[in-house]
Amino acid sequence: MVAASKIAILAAGATGALGAHLRAQRPILDAKPKMLDPFGDKSAGMQAPTFEVINKTDIEVRSTGKCICPLGTFYDWQRGACAAQKSAGDACDAFPQEHFAQICQDGLMCKGKDGKTSCMACTEEDDCKQGEERHSMTCLNSYQLVGDACVTVK
């Protein structure tokens, strides 16, 4: 018997907004599998089906080298869209800490005490980058999935 299917995959080790989103989904991914009905007449549920992988090809994941959002914006994973960077005094608390470098406008960064963080002016010690340099260093990159995933089994 030969079975082939196309599947979409998401690269492991995702960072930034995508990584935070995937980590939020972790309980769903860790759910226990459900028992399947027995395979065929002969197994009677007593034996797992046996198969041999004959051929396997994977989808290739390529970075486009481009940011998902334009300069002056960041990817807001809760809304699933680009949002304008926050002004001085705006709260950062609603976002995962991994996003803090992207949330505030140039010259500002997420700082705070006692779990309360907001966009505050950068100091010399902070060594804040600005403009396109900062954006390209901190933005969430887009990726392209190329090819087909296919498995041939016997």
Short mmCIF file of all heavy atoms in Angstrom, two decimals, residues 32-97:
data_model
loop_
_atom_site.label_atom_id
_atom_site.label_comp_id
_atom_site.label_asym_id
_atom_site.label_seq_id
_atom_site.Cartn_x
_atom_site.Cartn_y
_atom_site.Cartn_z
N LYS A 32 -2.66 13.96 25.38
CA LYS A 32 -2.48 12.51 25.20
C LYS A 32 -3.24 12.05 23.96
O LYS A 32 -4.38 12.47 23.73
CB LYS A 32 -3.00 11.75 26.42
CG LYS A 32 -2.27 12.10 27.70
CD LYS A 32 -0.96 11.40 27.76
CE LYS A 32 -0.31 11.67 29.10
NZ LYS A 32 1.08 11.79 29.06
N PRO A 33 -2.64 11.16 23.17
CA PRO A 33 -3.36 10.66 21.98
C PRO A 33 -4.51 9.75 22.39
O PRO A 33 -4.47 9.11 23.43
CB PRO A 33 -2.27 9.86 21.24
CG PRO A 33 -1.25 9.53 22.26
CD PRO A 33 -1.30 10.62 23.29
N LYS A 34 -5.53 9.71 21.56
CA LYS A 34 -6.70 8.87 21.82
C LYS A 34 -6.46 7.48 21.22
O LYS A 34 -5.78 7.33 20.22
CB LYS A 34 -7.94 9.49 21.20
CG LYS A 34 -8.34 10.79 21.85
CD LYS A 34 -9.58 11.35 21.19
CE LYS A 34 -9.91 12.68 21.84
NZ LYS A 34 -11.03 13.32 21.20
N MET A 35 -7.06 6.47 21.82
CA MET A 35 -6.96 5.11 21.35
C MET A 35 -7.67 4.99 20.00
O MET A 35 -8.77 5.51 19.82
CB MET A 35 -7.63 4.18 22.36
CG MET A 35 -7.40 2.75 22.13
SD MET A 35 -5.73 2.38 22.66
CE MET A 35 -5.81 0.64 22.63
N LEU A 36 -7.04 4.34 19.04
CA LEU A 36 -7.63 4.14 17.73
C LEU A 36 -8.37 2.81 17.66
O LEU A 36 -8.06 1.88 18.39
CB LEU A 36 -6.54 4.15 16.65
CG LEU A 36 -5.77 5.45 16.48
CD1 LEU A 36 -4.65 5.25 15.48
CD2 LEU A 36 -6.69 6.56 16.02
N ASP A 37 -9.32 2.74 16.75
CA ASP A 37 -9.97 1.46 16.50
C ASP A 37 -8.93 0.50 15.92
O ASP A 37 -7.97 0.93 15.29
CB ASP A 37 -11.11 1.64 15.49
CG ASP A 37 -12.28 2.39 16.10
OD1 ASP A 37 -12.48 2.29 17.32
OD2 ASP A 37 -12.97 3.12 15.34
N PRO A 38 -9.12 -0.81 16.11
CA PRO A 38 -8.14 -1.76 15.57
C PRO A 38 -7.99 -1.61 14.06
O PRO A 38 -8.95 -1.29 13.36
CB PRO A 38 -8.75 -3.13 15.91
CG PRO A 38 -9.70 -2.87 17.01
CD PRO A 38 -10.19 -1.47 16.83
N PHE A 39 -6.79 -1.83 13.58
CA PHE A 39 -6.49 -1.75 12.15
C PHE A 39 -6.75 -3.12 11.51
O PHE A 39 -6.11 -4.09 11.87
CB PHE A 39 -5.02 -1.37 11.91
CG PHE A 39 -4.71 0.05 12.22
CD1 PHE A 39 -4.42 0.45 13.52
CD2 PHE A 39 -4.70 1.00 11.23
CE1 PHE A 39 -4.13 1.76 13.81
CE2 PHE A 39 -4.40 2.31 11.50
CZ PHE A 39 -4.11 2.70 12.81
N GLY A 40 -7.66 -3.18 10.60
CA GLY A 40 -7.89 -4.41 9.84
C GLY A 40 -8.55 -5.51 10.64
O GLY A 40 -8.78 -5.40 11.83
N ASP A 41 -8.82 -6.63 9.96
CA ASP A 41 -9.51 -7.75 10.57
C ASP A 41 -8.59 -8.58 11.45
O ASP A 41 -9.02 -9.18 12.42
CB ASP A 41 -10.09 -8.67 9.49
CG ASP A 41 -11.14 -7.95 8.66
OD1 ASP A 41 -11.77 -7.03 9.19
OD2 ASP A 41 -11.30 -8.30 7.48
N LYS A 42 -7.29 -8.62 11.13
CA LYS A 42 -6.40 -9.56 11.80
C LYS A 42 -5.80 -9.03 13.10
O LYS A 42 -5.37 -9.81 13.92
CB LYS A 42 -5.28 -9.95 10.85
CG LYS A 42 -5.79 -10.67 9.62
CD LYS A 42 -4.69 -11.02 8.69
CE LYS A 42 -5.28 -11.68 7.44
NZ LYS A 42 -4.30 -11.92 6.43
N SER A 43 -5.78 -7.73 13.28
CA SER A 43 -5.10 -7.23 14.47
C SER A 43 -5.93 -7.39 15.73
O SER A 43 -5.39 -7.55 16.81
CB SER A 43 -4.74 -5.75 14.29
OG SER A 43 -5.91 -4.96 14.35
N ALA A 44 -7.22 -7.33 15.62
CA ALA A 44 -8.13 -7.46 16.76
C ALA A 44 -7.71 -6.54 17.90
O ALA A 44 -7.98 -6.82 19.06
CB ALA A 44 -8.22 -8.91 17.23
N GLY A 45 -7.02 -5.46 17.57
CA GLY A 45 -6.61 -4.50 18.58
C GLY A 45 -5.46 -4.97 19.43
O GLY A 45 -5.06 -4.30 20.38
N MET A 46 -4.89 -6.14 19.15
CA MET A 46 -3.84 -6.72 19.99
C MET A 46 -2.44 -6.36 19.51
O MET A 46 -1.48 -6.52 20.24
CB MET A 46 -3.97 -8.25 20.03
CG MET A 46 -5.34 -8.72 20.49
SD MET A 46 -5.80 -8.12 22.11
CE MET A 46 -4.78 -9.11 23.14
N GLN A 47 -2.31 -5.91 18.29
CA GLN A 47 -0.99 -5.67 17.74
C GLN A 47 -1.01 -4.36 16.95
O GLN A 47 -1.97 -4.08 16.24
CB GLN A 47 -0.61 -6.83 16.81
CG GLN A 47 0.72 -6.70 16.14
CD GLN A 47 0.99 -7.92 15.28
OE1 GLN A 47 0.55 -9.02 15.59
NE2 GLN A 47 1.70 -7.71 14.19
N ALA A 48 0.04 -3.59 17.09
CA ALA A 48 0.15 -2.34 16.33
C ALA A 48 0.38 -2.68 14.87
O ALA A 48 0.99 -3.69 14.55
CB ALA A 48 1.29 -1.50 16.87
N PRO A 49 -0.14 -1.87 13.98
CA PRO A 49 0.11 -2.13 12.56
C PRO A 49 1.59 -1.98 12.27
O PRO A 49 2.28 -1.19 12.91
CB PRO A 49 -0.70 -1.04 11.86
CG PRO A 49 -0.84 0.05 12.87
CD PRO A 49 -0.87 -0.64 14.20
N THR A 50 2.09 -2.75 11.36
CA THR A 50 3.51 -2.64 10.98
C THR A 50 3.59 -2.04 9.59
O THR A 50 2.75 -2.32 8.73
CB THR A 50 4.20 -4.01 10.99
OG1 THR A 50 3.50 -4.88 10.12
CG2 THR A 50 4.25 -4.58 12.38
N PHE A 51 4.57 -1.19 9.41
CA PHE A 51 4.78 -0.58 8.11
C PHE A 51 6.26 -0.24 7.99
O PHE A 51 6.99 -0.19 8.96
CB PHE A 51 3.92 0.68 7.92
CG PHE A 51 4.21 1.77 8.91
CD1 PHE A 51 5.15 2.75 8.64
CD2 PHE A 51 3.54 1.82 10.13
CE1 PHE A 51 5.42 3.74 9.54
CE2 PHE A 51 3.81 2.81 11.05
CZ PHE A 51 4.75 3.78 10.76
N GLU A 52 6.66 -0.03 6.76
CA GLU A 52 8.05 0.31 6.47
C GLU A 52 8.04 1.60 5.65
O GLU A 52 7.30 1.72 4.68
CB GLU A 52 8.70 -0.81 5.66
CG GLU A 52 10.11 -0.55 5.26
CD GLU A 52 10.68 -1.67 4.39
OE1 GLU A 52 9.99 -2.69 4.20
OE2 GLU A 52 11.79 -1.48 3.88
N VAL A 53 8.86 2.57 6.06
CA VAL A 53 8.99 3.81 5.30
C VAL A 53 9.92 3.54 4.14
O VAL A 53 11.08 3.17 4.33
CB VAL A 53 9.54 4.96 6.18
CG1 VAL A 53 9.78 6.21 5.34
CG2 VAL A 53 8.58 5.25 7.33
N ILE A 54 9.41 3.70 2.94
CA ILE A 54 10.18 3.43 1.72
C ILE A 54 10.92 4.68 1.27
O ILE A 54 12.08 4.63 0.89
CB ILE A 54 9.25 2.94 0.57
CG1 ILE A 54 8.45 1.71 1.00
CG2 ILE A 54 10.04 2.69 -0.70
CD1 ILE A 54 9.28 0.51 1.33
N ASN A 55 10.24 5.82 1.31
CA ASN A 55 10.83 7.07 0.85
C ASN A 55 10.21 8.22 1.64
O ASN A 55 9.03 8.19 1.97
CB ASN A 55 10.56 7.26 -0.65
CG ASN A 55 11.30 8.45 -1.23
OD1 ASN A 55 12.32 8.87 -0.70
ND2 ASN A 55 10.78 8.99 -2.31
N LYS A 56 11.04 9.23 1.92
CA LYS A 56 10.55 10.37 2.69
C LYS A 56 11.23 11.64 2.19
O LYS A 56 12.45 11.68 2.05
CB LYS A 56 10.86 10.17 4.17
CG LYS A 56 10.47 11.31 5.06
CD LYS A 56 10.86 11.01 6.50
CE LYS A 56 10.72 12.25 7.35
NZ LYS A 56 11.25 12.06 8.69
N THR A 57 10.44 12.67 1.90
CA THR A 57 10.99 13.97 1.55
C THR A 57 10.34 15.01 2.46
O THR A 57 9.15 14.89 2.79
CB THR A 57 10.72 14.36 0.08
OG1 THR A 57 9.33 14.31 -0.18
CG2 THR A 57 11.45 13.44 -0.88
N ASP A 58 11.11 16.00 2.86
CA ASP A 58 10.62 17.04 3.76
C ASP A 58 10.48 18.37 3.04
O ASP A 58 11.14 18.63 2.04
CB ASP A 58 11.60 17.22 4.93
CG ASP A 58 11.64 16.01 5.84
OD1 ASP A 58 10.59 15.41 6.07
OD2 ASP A 58 12.74 15.68 6.33
N ILE A 59 9.64 19.21 3.61
CA ILE A 59 9.52 20.58 3.12
C ILE A 59 10.75 21.33 3.57
O ILE A 59 11.23 21.17 4.69
CB ILE A 59 8.25 21.24 3.70
CG1 ILE A 59 7.01 20.56 3.14
CG2 ILE A 59 8.24 22.73 3.41
CD1 ILE A 59 5.71 21.07 3.73
N GLU A 60 11.27 22.18 2.70
CA GLU A 60 12.42 23.00 3.03
C GLU A 60 11.92 24.34 3.59
O GLU A 60 11.01 24.95 3.04
CB GLU A 60 13.27 23.24 1.78
CG GLU A 60 14.53 24.03 2.04
CD GLU A 60 15.32 24.27 0.77
OE1 GLU A 60 15.03 23.64 -0.28
OE2 GLU A 60 16.22 25.12 0.81
N VAL A 61 12.52 24.77 4.71
CA VAL A 61 12.15 26.04 5.32
C VAL A 61 13.26 27.03 5.03
O VAL A 61 14.41 26.82 5.42
CB VAL A 61 11.96 25.88 6.85
CG1 VAL A 61 11.58 27.21 7.47
CG2 VAL A 61 10.91 24.82 7.15
N ARG A 62 12.92 28.11 4.32
CA ARG A 62 13.90 29.13 3.95
C ARG A 62 13.51 30.48 4.53
O ARG A 62 12.36 30.89 4.43
CB ARG A 62 13.96 29.31 2.43
CG ARG A 62 14.49 28.14 1.67
CD ARG A 62 14.56 28.49 0.19
NE ARG A 62 14.78 27.30 -0.61
CZ ARG A 62 14.54 27.23 -1.90
NH1 ARG A 62 14.09 28.28 -2.55
NH2 ARG A 62 14.76 26.12 -2.55
N SER A 63 14.49 31.17 5.10
CA SER A 63 14.26 32.54 5.55
C SER A 63 14.23 33.44 4.33
O SER A 63 15.06 33.31 3.43
CB SER A 63 15.37 32.98 6.50
OG SER A 63 15.22 34.36 6.80
N THR A 64 13.30 34.37 4.31
CA THR A 64 13.25 35.33 3.21
C THR A 64 14.21 36.48 3.45
O THR A 64 14.47 37.26 2.54
CB THR A 64 11.83 35.91 3.03
OG1 THR A 64 11.50 36.65 4.21
CG2 THR A 64 10.81 34.81 2.77
N GLY A 65 14.71 36.60 4.69
CA GLY A 65 15.60 37.70 5.04
C GLY A 65 14.85 39.02 5.19
O GLY A 65 15.45 40.07 5.30
N LYS A 66 13.53 38.96 5.19
CA LYS A 66 12.71 40.16 5.31
C LYS A 66 11.89 40.12 6.60
O LYS A 66 11.49 39.06 7.05
CB LYS A 66 11.75 40.27 4.12
CG LYS A 66 12.45 40.41 2.79
CD LYS A 66 11.45 40.46 1.66
CE LYS A 66 12.17 40.51 0.33
NZ LYS A 66 11.23 40.47 -0.79
N CYS A 67 11.65 41.30 7.14
CA CYS A 67 10.81 41.42 8.34
C CYS A 67 9.34 41.29 7.95
O CYS A 67 8.93 41.74 6.87
CB CYS A 67 11.04 42.76 9.01
SG CYS A 67 12.72 42.99 9.61
N ILE A 68 8.56 40.70 8.83
CA ILE A 68 7.12 40.58 8.58
C ILE A 68 6.46 41.96 8.60
O ILE A 68 5.60 42.24 7.78
CB ILE A 68 6.47 39.66 9.64
CG1 ILE A 68 6.92 38.22 9.42
CG2 ILE A 68 4.95 39.76 9.60
CD1 ILE A 68 6.41 37.24 10.45
N CYS A 69 6.90 42.82 9.50
CA CYS A 69 6.30 44.15 9.66
C CYS A 69 7.27 45.24 9.22
O CYS A 69 8.48 45.10 9.38
CB CYS A 69 5.91 44.37 11.12
SG CYS A 69 4.66 43.20 11.71
N PRO A 70 6.74 46.37 8.71
CA PRO A 70 7.60 47.47 8.28
C PRO A 70 8.19 48.25 9.46
O PRO A 70 7.75 48.10 10.60
CB PRO A 70 6.67 48.35 7.45
CG PRO A 70 5.30 48.05 7.93
CD PRO A 70 5.33 46.63 8.41
N LEU A 71 9.16 49.08 9.16
CA LEU A 71 9.81 49.94 10.14
C LEU A 71 8.75 50.77 10.87
O LEU A 71 7.81 51.26 10.26
CB LEU A 71 10.80 50.87 9.42
CG LEU A 71 11.66 51.79 10.28
CD1 LEU A 71 12.61 50.96 11.15
CD2 LEU A 71 12.46 52.73 9.40
N GLY A 72 8.90 50.91 12.20
CA GLY A 72 7.95 51.68 13.00
C GLY A 72 6.80 50.85 13.54
O GLY A 72 5.92 51.35 14.23
N THR A 73 6.81 49.54 13.22
CA THR A 73 5.77 48.64 13.71
C THR A 73 6.42 47.37 14.25
O THR A 73 7.61 47.13 14.04
CB THR A 73 4.77 48.25 12.59
OG1 THR A 73 5.47 47.52 11.59
CG2 THR A 73 4.12 49.48 11.98
N PHE A 74 5.64 46.56 14.96
CA PHE A 74 6.09 45.26 15.45
C PHE A 74 4.95 44.28 15.29
O PHE A 74 3.79 44.68 15.15
CB PHE A 74 6.57 45.34 16.91
CG PHE A 74 5.46 45.55 17.91
CD1 PHE A 74 4.96 44.49 18.65
CD2 PHE A 74 4.90 46.81 18.11
CE1 PHE A 74 3.93 44.67 19.57
CE2 PHE A 74 3.88 47.01 19.02
CZ PHE A 74 3.40 45.93 19.75
N TYR A 75 5.27 42.98 15.31
CA TYR A 75 4.23 41.96 15.17
C TYR A 75 3.59 41.70 16.52
O TYR A 75 4.22 41.24 17.45
CB TYR A 75 4.81 40.66 14.60
CG TYR A 75 3.73 39.67 14.26
CD1 TYR A 75 2.98 39.80 13.10
CD2 TYR A 75 3.44 38.61 15.11
CE1 TYR A 75 1.97 38.90 12.79
CE2 TYR A 75 2.43 37.71 14.82
CZ TYR A 75 1.70 37.86 13.66
OH TYR A 75 0.70 36.98 13.36
N ASP A 76 2.31 42.03 16.62
CA ASP A 76 1.52 41.81 17.84
C ASP A 76 0.87 40.43 17.70
O ASP A 76 -0.11 40.27 16.98
CB ASP A 76 0.47 42.90 17.98
CG ASP A 76 -0.37 42.77 19.25
OD1 ASP A 76 -0.36 41.69 19.89
OD2 ASP A 76 -1.06 43.74 19.59
N TRP A 77 1.44 39.44 18.37
CA TRP A 77 0.97 38.06 18.22
C TRP A 77 -0.44 37.86 18.73
O TRP A 77 -1.15 36.97 18.29
CB TRP A 77 1.94 37.09 18.88
CG TRP A 77 2.01 37.21 20.36
CD1 TRP A 77 2.76 38.10 21.07
CD2 TRP A 77 1.29 36.44 21.33
NE1 TRP A 77 2.56 37.93 22.42
CE2 TRP A 77 1.66 36.91 22.60
CE3 TRP A 77 0.38 35.40 21.24
CZ2 TRP A 77 1.15 36.38 23.78
CZ3 TRP A 77 -0.13 34.87 22.40
CH2 TRP A 77 0.27 35.35 23.65
N GLN A 78 -0.89 38.70 19.67
CA GLN A 78 -2.25 38.56 20.18
C GLN A 78 -3.28 38.96 19.13
O GLN A 78 -4.34 38.35 19.02
CB GLN A 78 -2.45 39.41 21.44
CG GLN A 78 -1.62 38.90 22.61
CD GLN A 78 -1.64 39.86 23.79
OE1 GLN A 78 -1.62 41.06 23.62
NE2 GLN A 78 -1.68 39.30 24.97
N ARG A 79 -2.98 39.98 18.36
CA ARG A 79 -3.87 40.43 17.29
C ARG A 79 -3.59 39.71 15.98
O ARG A 79 -4.41 39.73 15.07
CB ARG A 79 -3.71 41.94 17.08
CG ARG A 79 -4.25 42.74 18.23
CD ARG A 79 -4.15 44.25 18.04
NE ARG A 79 -4.18 44.67 16.66
CZ ARG A 79 -3.49 45.70 16.19
NH1 ARG A 79 -2.72 46.40 16.96
NH2 ARG A 79 -3.57 46.03 14.90
N GLY A 80 -2.38 39.14 15.86
CA GLY A 80 -2.00 38.47 14.63
C GLY A 80 -1.75 39.44 13.50
O GLY A 80 -1.99 39.13 12.34
N ALA A 81 -1.27 40.65 13.86
CA ALA A 81 -1.04 41.68 12.85
C ALA A 81 0.05 42.64 13.33
O ALA A 81 0.42 42.65 14.50
CB ALA A 81 -2.34 42.46 12.62
N CYS A 82 0.54 43.44 12.41
CA CYS A 82 1.52 44.46 12.76
C CYS A 82 0.81 45.59 13.51
O CYS A 82 -0.33 45.92 13.21
CB CYS A 82 2.19 45.02 11.50
SG CYS A 82 3.10 43.76 10.57
N ALA A 83 1.50 46.18 14.49
CA ALA A 83 0.95 47.28 15.28
C ALA A 83 2.00 48.37 15.39
O ALA A 83 3.21 48.09 15.37
CB ALA A 83 0.55 46.78 16.67
N ALA A 84 1.56 49.60 15.53
CA ALA A 84 2.48 50.72 15.68
C ALA A 84 3.26 50.56 16.99
O ALA A 84 2.70 50.13 18.00
CB ALA A 84 1.71 52.04 15.69
N GLN A 85 4.54 50.91 16.96
CA GLN A 85 5.35 50.83 18.17
C GLN A 85 4.81 51.82 19.21
O GLN A 85 4.26 52.86 18.87
CB GLN A 85 6.82 51.12 17.85
CG GLN A 85 7.46 49.98 17.09
CD GLN A 85 8.88 50.27 16.69
OE1 GLN A 85 9.21 51.35 16.24
NE2 GLN A 85 9.74 49.27 16.86
N LYS A 86 5.00 51.48 20.47
CA LYS A 86 4.42 52.22 21.59
C LYS A 86 5.24 53.47 21.92
O LYS A 86 6.44 53.53 21.72
CB LYS A 86 4.33 51.32 22.82
CG LYS A 86 3.55 50.03 22.60
CD LYS A 86 2.12 50.31 22.31
CE LYS A 86 1.33 49.02 22.13
NZ LYS A 86 -0.03 49.25 21.76
N SER A 87 4.55 54.47 22.50
CA SER A 87 5.16 55.75 22.90
C SER A 87 5.63 55.68 24.35
O SER A 87 5.31 54.74 25.09
CB SER A 87 4.12 56.87 22.78
OG SER A 87 3.61 56.94 21.48
N ALA A 88 6.34 56.73 24.78
CA ALA A 88 6.83 56.83 26.16
C ALA A 88 5.67 56.70 27.13
O ALA A 88 4.62 57.32 26.96
CB ALA A 88 7.57 58.15 26.37
N GLY A 89 5.86 55.86 28.14
CA GLY A 89 4.85 55.65 29.16
C GLY A 89 3.87 54.53 28.87
O GLY A 89 3.15 54.07 29.77
N ASP A 90 3.79 54.07 27.62
CA ASP A 90 2.88 52.96 27.29
C ASP A 90 3.37 51.67 27.94
O ASP A 90 4.57 51.39 27.98
CB ASP A 90 2.79 52.76 25.77
CG ASP A 90 2.05 53.89 25.07
OD1 ASP A 90 1.34 54.66 25.75
OD2 ASP A 90 2.16 53.98 23.83
N ALA A 91 2.45 50.87 28.43
CA ALA A 91 2.78 49.63 29.13
C ALA A 91 3.28 48.55 28.17
O ALA A 91 2.80 48.43 27.04
CB ALA A 91 1.56 49.12 29.88
N CYS A 92 4.24 47.77 28.66
CA CYS A 92 4.78 46.62 27.92
C CYS A 92 4.27 45.31 28.51
O CYS A 92 4.51 44.25 27.95
CB CYS A 92 6.30 46.63 27.98
SG CYS A 92 7.10 48.08 27.29
N ASP A 93 3.60 45.38 29.65
CA ASP A 93 3.23 44.19 30.43
C ASP A 93 2.36 43.19 29.69
O ASP A 93 2.37 42.01 30.01
CB ASP A 93 2.51 44.60 31.71
CG ASP A 93 3.38 45.45 32.62
OD1 ASP A 93 4.61 45.29 32.57
OD2 ASP A 93 2.82 46.27 33.38
N ALA A 94 1.61 43.63 28.71
CA ALA A 94 0.70 42.72 28.00
C ALA A 94 1.43 41.82 27.00
O ALA A 94 0.82 40.94 26.42
CB ALA A 94 -0.37 43.52 27.27
N PHE A 95 2.74 42.06 26.82
CA PHE A 95 3.51 41.32 25.82
C PHE A 95 4.55 40.44 26.49
O PHE A 95 5.05 40.77 27.56
CB PHE A 95 4.20 42.31 24.87
CG PHE A 95 3.25 43.20 24.16
CD1 PHE A 95 2.96 44.46 24.65
CD2 PHE A 95 2.61 42.79 23.00
CE1 PHE A 95 2.06 45.29 24.01
CE2 PHE A 95 1.72 43.61 22.35
CZ PHE A 95 1.44 44.87 22.85
N PRO A 96 4.91 39.33 25.85
CA PRO A 96 5.98 38.48 26.39
C PRO A 96 7.30 39.25 26.40
O PRO A 96 7.55 40.10 25.55
CB PRO A 96 6.05 37.31 25.39
CG PRO A 96 4.78 37.35 24.63
CD PRO A 96 4.31 38.77 24.63
N GLN A 97 8.14 38.93 27.36
CA GLN A 97 9.42 39.63 27.51
C GLN A 97 10.27 39.51 26.25
O GLN A 97 11.04 40.41 25.94
CB GLN A 97 10.17 39.09 28.72
CG GLN A 97 11.36 39.94 29.08
CD GLN A 97 11.95 39.57 30.43
OE1 GLN A 97 11.48 38.67 31.11
NE2 GLN A 97 12.98 40.27 30.81
#
